[in-house]
Short mmCIF file of all heavy atoms in Angstrom, two decimals:
data_model
loop_
_atom_site.label_atom_id
_atom_site.label_comp_id
_atom_site.label_asym_id
_atom_site.label_seq_id
_atom_site.Cartn_x
_atom_site.Cartn_y
_atom_site.Cartn_z
N GLU L 1 -11.68 10.44 12.00
CA GLU L 1 -10.74 10.93 11.08
C GLU L 1 -9.26 10.82 11.62
O GLU L 1 -8.43 11.16 10.85
CB GLU L 1 -11.06 12.35 10.69
CG GLU L 1 -12.36 12.50 9.91
CD GLU L 1 -12.74 13.91 9.54
OE1 GLU L 1 -11.80 14.80 9.74
OE2 GLU L 1 -13.84 14.15 9.04
N ARG L 2 -9.07 10.45 12.83
CA ARG L 2 -7.82 10.41 13.35
C ARG L 2 -7.07 9.11 12.93
O ARG L 2 -5.79 9.15 13.06
CB ARG L 2 -7.88 10.27 14.96
CG ARG L 2 -8.30 11.65 15.61
CD ARG L 2 -8.35 11.54 17.04
NE ARG L 2 -8.81 12.81 17.78
CZ ARG L 2 -8.00 13.88 18.04
NH1 ARG L 2 -6.78 13.85 17.80
NH2 ARG L 2 -8.48 14.89 18.76
N LEU L 3 -7.68 8.30 12.36
CA LEU L 3 -7.04 7.13 11.66
C LEU L 3 -7.00 7.48 10.20
O LEU L 3 -8.01 7.45 9.39
CB LEU L 3 -7.92 5.77 11.98
CG LEU L 3 -7.55 4.59 11.14
CD1 LEU L 3 -6.15 4.00 11.44
CD2 LEU L 3 -8.56 3.46 11.38
N ILE L 4 -5.75 7.36 9.68
CA ILE L 4 -5.45 7.58 8.25
C ILE L 4 -5.06 6.28 7.66
O ILE L 4 -4.11 5.71 8.16
CB ILE L 4 -4.52 8.67 8.10
CG1 ILE L 4 -4.94 9.97 8.62
CG2 ILE L 4 -4.11 8.85 6.55
CD1 ILE L 4 -3.93 11.05 8.65
N PHE L 5 -5.68 5.72 6.64
CA PHE L 5 -5.24 4.57 6.04
C PHE L 5 -4.29 4.83 4.87
O PHE L 5 -4.59 5.63 4.09
CB PHE L 5 -6.43 3.73 5.41
CG PHE L 5 -6.14 2.47 4.75
CD1 PHE L 5 -5.77 1.34 5.42
CD2 PHE L 5 -6.23 2.34 3.49
CE1 PHE L 5 -5.54 0.23 4.93
CE2 PHE L 5 -5.83 1.10 2.85
CZ PHE L 5 -5.57 0.00 3.54
N ALA L 6 -3.16 4.07 4.83
CA ALA L 6 -2.12 4.27 3.80
C ALA L 6 -2.49 3.35 2.61
O ALA L 6 -2.51 2.15 2.60
CB ALA L 6 -0.77 3.85 4.39
N LEU L 7 -2.94 4.08 1.57
CA LEU L 7 -3.37 3.39 0.36
C LEU L 7 -2.27 3.15 -0.52
O LEU L 7 -2.11 3.57 -1.66
CB LEU L 7 -4.38 4.37 -0.35
CG LEU L 7 -5.46 3.73 -1.22
CD1 LEU L 7 -6.17 2.70 -0.55
CD2 LEU L 7 -6.34 4.73 -1.71
N ASP L 8 -1.27 2.25 -0.09
CA ASP L 8 -0.08 1.79 -0.70
C ASP L 8 -0.33 0.55 -1.54
O ASP L 8 -0.05 -0.56 -1.03
CB ASP L 8 1.03 1.66 0.40
CG ASP L 8 1.31 2.86 1.16
OD1 ASP L 8 1.23 4.00 0.55
OD2 ASP L 8 1.70 2.79 2.27
N VAL L 9 -0.73 0.69 -2.76
CA VAL L 9 -1.12 -0.43 -3.53
C VAL L 9 -0.63 0.06 -4.97
O VAL L 9 -0.42 1.23 -5.40
CB VAL L 9 -2.57 -0.61 -3.57
CG1 VAL L 9 -3.17 -1.09 -2.26
CG2 VAL L 9 -3.42 0.56 -3.96
N PRO L 10 -0.48 -1.05 -5.87
CA PRO L 10 0.24 -0.75 -7.11
C PRO L 10 -0.64 -0.19 -8.28
O PRO L 10 -0.11 0.27 -9.24
CB PRO L 10 0.80 -2.14 -7.57
CG PRO L 10 -0.25 -3.14 -6.85
CD PRO L 10 -0.60 -2.43 -5.63
N THR L 11 -2.04 -0.36 -8.21
CA THR L 11 -2.84 0.29 -9.24
C THR L 11 -4.01 1.14 -8.65
O THR L 11 -4.42 0.90 -7.48
CB THR L 11 -3.44 -0.88 -10.09
OG1 THR L 11 -4.43 -1.58 -9.23
CG2 THR L 11 -2.47 -1.85 -10.58
N ARG L 12 -4.52 2.03 -9.53
CA ARG L 12 -5.68 2.79 -9.16
C ARG L 12 -6.87 1.83 -8.88
O ARG L 12 -7.74 2.13 -8.02
CB ARG L 12 -5.91 3.96 -10.10
CG ARG L 12 -7.17 4.71 -9.71
CD ARG L 12 -7.54 5.79 -10.63
NE ARG L 12 -8.82 6.38 -10.45
CZ ARG L 12 -9.45 7.15 -11.19
NH1 ARG L 12 -8.86 7.60 -12.34
NH2 ARG L 12 -10.67 7.64 -10.85
N ASP L 13 -7.13 0.93 -9.82
CA ASP L 13 -8.12 0.00 -9.62
C ASP L 13 -8.14 -0.68 -8.21
O ASP L 13 -9.22 -0.73 -7.56
CB ASP L 13 -8.17 -1.02 -10.71
CG ASP L 13 -9.24 -2.09 -10.56
OD1 ASP L 13 -10.49 -1.64 -10.71
OD2 ASP L 13 -9.13 -3.24 -10.38
N GLU L 14 -6.93 -1.18 -7.81
CA GLU L 14 -6.88 -1.77 -6.42
C GLU L 14 -7.11 -0.72 -5.28
O GLU L 14 -7.67 -1.08 -4.34
CB GLU L 14 -5.47 -2.33 -6.24
CG GLU L 14 -5.50 -3.25 -5.15
CD GLU L 14 -4.23 -4.14 -4.98
OE1 GLU L 14 -3.29 -4.15 -6.02
OE2 GLU L 14 -3.85 -4.55 -3.83
N ALA L 15 -6.64 0.47 -5.57
CA ALA L 15 -6.87 1.53 -4.51
C ALA L 15 -8.42 1.69 -4.37
O ALA L 15 -8.97 1.80 -3.28
CB ALA L 15 -6.32 2.73 -5.05
N GLU L 16 -9.10 1.81 -5.60
CA GLU L 16 -10.68 2.06 -5.41
C GLU L 16 -11.37 0.81 -4.67
O GLU L 16 -12.25 0.97 -3.91
CB GLU L 16 -11.24 2.36 -6.80
CG GLU L 16 -10.71 3.67 -7.38
CD GLU L 16 -11.28 4.03 -8.68
OE1 GLU L 16 -12.11 3.21 -9.24
OE2 GLU L 16 -11.00 5.05 -9.25
N LYS L 17 -10.74 -0.40 -5.05
CA LYS L 17 -11.32 -1.61 -4.42
C LYS L 17 -11.21 -1.57 -2.86
O LYS L 17 -12.09 -1.95 -2.10
CB LYS L 17 -10.86 -2.79 -5.02
CG LYS L 17 -11.27 -3.11 -6.46
CD LYS L 17 -10.63 -4.40 -7.01
CE LYS L 17 -11.19 -4.65 -8.44
NZ LYS L 17 -10.54 -5.82 -8.94
N TRP L 18 -9.98 -0.99 -2.46
CA TRP L 18 -9.76 -0.89 -0.89
C TRP L 18 -10.69 0.07 -0.35
O TRP L 18 -11.22 -0.26 0.77
CB TRP L 18 -8.30 -0.58 -0.77
CG TRP L 18 -7.44 -1.85 -0.64
CD1 TRP L 18 -6.56 -2.33 -1.43
CD2 TRP L 18 -7.43 -2.73 0.55
NE1 TRP L 18 -5.93 -3.46 -0.97
CE2 TRP L 18 -6.53 -3.84 0.25
CE3 TRP L 18 -8.20 -2.81 1.60
CZ2 TRP L 18 -6.25 -4.84 1.08
CZ3 TRP L 18 -7.94 -3.82 2.72
CH2 TRP L 18 -7.00 -4.72 2.30
N VAL L 19 -11.04 1.18 -0.97
CA VAL L 19 -11.77 2.19 -0.44
C VAL L 19 -13.25 1.57 -0.33
O VAL L 19 -13.87 1.84 0.64
CB VAL L 19 -11.77 3.49 -1.25
CG1 VAL L 19 -12.84 4.40 -0.87
CG2 VAL L 19 -10.44 4.12 -1.34
N GLU L 20 -13.65 0.96 -1.37
CA GLU L 20 -14.99 0.32 -1.30
C GLU L 20 -15.06 -0.81 -0.24
O GLU L 20 -16.03 -0.88 0.41
CB GLU L 20 -15.34 -0.39 -2.68
CG GLU L 20 -15.38 0.77 -3.79
CD GLU L 20 -16.63 1.63 -3.79
OE1 GLU L 20 -17.40 1.46 -2.84
OE2 GLU L 20 -16.77 2.49 -4.65
N ARG L 21 -13.97 -1.59 -0.08
CA ARG L 21 -13.96 -2.67 0.82
C ARG L 21 -13.96 -2.17 2.35
O ARG L 21 -14.70 -2.68 3.20
CB ARG L 21 -12.70 -3.44 0.67
CG ARG L 21 -12.57 -4.70 1.52
CD ARG L 21 -11.13 -5.45 1.26
NE ARG L 21 -11.14 -5.82 -0.14
CZ ARG L 21 -10.10 -6.01 -0.82
NH1 ARG L 21 -8.84 -5.84 -0.25
NH2 ARG L 21 -10.14 -6.39 -2.09
N LEU L 22 -13.29 -1.10 2.56
CA LEU L 22 -13.21 -0.47 3.89
C LEU L 22 -14.49 0.34 4.16
O LEU L 22 -14.67 0.56 5.54
CB LEU L 22 -12.00 0.38 4.09
CG LEU L 22 -10.67 -0.39 3.97
CD1 LEU L 22 -9.44 0.48 3.99
CD2 LEU L 22 -10.52 -1.36 5.16
N GLY L 23 -15.18 0.87 3.22
CA GLY L 23 -16.43 1.50 3.46
C GLY L 23 -16.32 2.69 4.51
O GLY L 23 -15.39 3.47 4.52
N ASP L 24 -17.22 2.81 5.44
CA ASP L 24 -17.28 3.88 6.38
C ASP L 24 -16.38 3.64 7.64
O ASP L 24 -16.36 4.39 8.70
CB ASP L 24 -18.59 4.19 6.76
CG ASP L 24 -19.36 2.95 7.54
OD1 ASP L 24 -18.63 1.91 7.77
OD2 ASP L 24 -20.49 3.10 7.79
N SER L 25 -15.58 2.46 7.62
CA SER L 25 -14.62 2.31 8.65
C SER L 25 -13.32 3.16 8.51
O SER L 25 -12.64 3.32 9.51
CB SER L 25 -14.16 0.84 8.66
OG SER L 25 -13.32 0.52 7.55
N VAL L 26 -13.11 3.71 7.35
CA VAL L 26 -12.04 4.66 7.07
C VAL L 26 -12.57 6.03 6.47
O VAL L 26 -13.27 5.80 5.37
CB VAL L 26 -10.84 4.02 6.37
CG1 VAL L 26 -10.00 5.04 6.05
CG2 VAL L 26 -10.33 2.85 7.01
N GLN L 27 -12.24 7.06 6.98
CA GLN L 27 -12.65 8.43 6.43
C GLN L 27 -11.49 9.19 5.69
O GLN L 27 -11.73 10.11 4.99
CB GLN L 27 -13.21 9.29 7.58
CG GLN L 27 -14.47 8.62 8.22
CD GLN L 27 -15.65 8.28 7.09
OE1 GLN L 27 -15.90 9.02 6.25
NE2 GLN L 27 -16.19 7.10 7.44
N PHE L 28 -10.26 8.79 6.13
CA PHE L 28 -8.94 9.55 5.64
C PHE L 28 -8.06 8.52 4.99
O PHE L 28 -7.81 7.62 5.51
CB PHE L 28 -8.56 10.26 6.95
CG PHE L 28 -7.83 11.46 6.80
CD1 PHE L 28 -7.79 12.43 7.83
CD2 PHE L 28 -7.14 11.88 5.58
CE1 PHE L 28 -7.20 13.65 7.70
CE2 PHE L 28 -6.61 13.08 5.43
CZ PHE L 28 -6.54 14.03 6.55
N TYR L 29 -7.48 9.03 3.87
CA TYR L 29 -6.61 8.28 3.12
C TYR L 29 -5.35 8.89 2.74
O TYR L 29 -5.29 10.13 2.33
CB TYR L 29 -7.20 7.77 1.71
CG TYR L 29 -8.30 6.73 1.95
CD1 TYR L 29 -9.63 7.00 2.18
CD2 TYR L 29 -8.03 5.32 2.01
CE1 TYR L 29 -10.54 6.07 2.49
CE2 TYR L 29 -8.90 4.30 2.24
CZ TYR L 29 -10.26 4.79 2.52
OH TYR L 29 -11.24 3.78 2.72
N LYS L 30 -4.29 8.26 2.92
CA LYS L 30 -2.92 8.81 2.59
C LYS L 30 -2.49 8.20 1.20
O LYS L 30 -2.49 7.06 1.00
CB LYS L 30 -1.89 8.39 3.56
CG LYS L 30 -0.42 8.86 3.29
CD LYS L 30 0.62 8.33 4.26
CE LYS L 30 1.12 6.95 4.03
NZ LYS L 30 2.05 6.87 2.91
N LEU L 31 -2.05 8.98 0.24
CA LEU L 31 -1.78 8.53 -1.10
C LEU L 31 -0.16 9.00 -1.17
O LEU L 31 0.19 10.06 -1.24
CB LEU L 31 -2.49 9.41 -2.21
CG LEU L 31 -4.02 9.37 -2.06
CD1 LEU L 31 -4.62 10.01 -3.30
CD2 LEU L 31 -4.45 7.88 -1.99
N GLY L 32 0.50 7.85 -1.24
CA GLY L 32 2.07 8.01 -1.32
C GLY L 32 2.57 7.78 -2.72
O GLY L 32 1.89 7.87 -3.73
N LEU L 33 3.91 7.50 -2.72
CA LEU L 33 4.53 7.30 -4.02
C LEU L 33 4.19 6.15 -4.89
O LEU L 33 4.14 6.20 -6.04
CB LEU L 33 6.11 7.23 -3.70
CG LEU L 33 6.73 8.55 -3.18
CD1 LEU L 33 8.25 8.30 -2.77
CD2 LEU L 33 6.79 9.65 -4.43
N GLU L 34 3.90 5.00 -4.21
CA GLU L 34 3.56 3.73 -4.89
C GLU L 34 2.36 4.09 -5.85
O GLU L 34 2.29 3.78 -7.00
CB GLU L 34 3.33 2.57 -4.08
CG GLU L 34 2.97 1.39 -4.77
CD GLU L 34 2.81 0.12 -3.93
OE1 GLU L 34 2.84 0.18 -2.78
OE2 GLU L 34 2.78 -1.05 -4.57
N ILE L 35 1.29 4.60 -5.28
CA ILE L 35 0.04 4.79 -5.95
C ILE L 35 0.25 6.02 -6.90
O ILE L 35 -0.35 6.11 -8.06
CB ILE L 35 -1.14 5.15 -5.10
CG1 ILE L 35 -2.52 4.98 -5.79
CG2 ILE L 35 -1.25 6.44 -4.30
CD1 ILE L 35 -2.78 3.76 -6.50
N PHE L 36 1.13 6.91 -6.64
CA PHE L 36 1.48 8.06 -7.49
C PHE L 36 2.10 7.46 -8.78
O PHE L 36 1.61 7.94 -9.97
CB PHE L 36 2.42 9.08 -6.90
CG PHE L 36 2.98 10.09 -7.91
CD1 PHE L 36 2.12 11.17 -7.98
CD2 PHE L 36 4.15 10.07 -8.40
CE1 PHE L 36 2.56 12.17 -8.89
CE2 PHE L 36 4.61 11.06 -9.28
CZ PHE L 36 3.88 12.13 -9.50
N MET L 37 2.89 6.48 -8.61
CA MET L 37 3.57 5.92 -9.88
C MET L 37 2.60 5.09 -10.76
O MET L 37 2.93 4.79 -11.90
CB MET L 37 4.76 5.14 -9.58
CG MET L 37 5.93 5.93 -9.03
SD MET L 37 6.39 7.31 -10.12
CE MET L 37 6.99 6.39 -11.53
N ALA L 38 1.50 4.71 -10.15
CA ALA L 38 0.41 3.90 -10.86
C ALA L 38 -0.20 4.59 -11.91
O ALA L 38 -0.85 3.98 -12.78
CB ALA L 38 -0.55 3.29 -9.96
#
């Protein structure tokens, strides 16, 4: 959990694809302004 992945992508669909793509290699996600505006 010490590695946080920055989910800086333009759409929620792309965000979910990244989470599925990374699988159990990432447990912690940062949600910033770009995905907020999506």
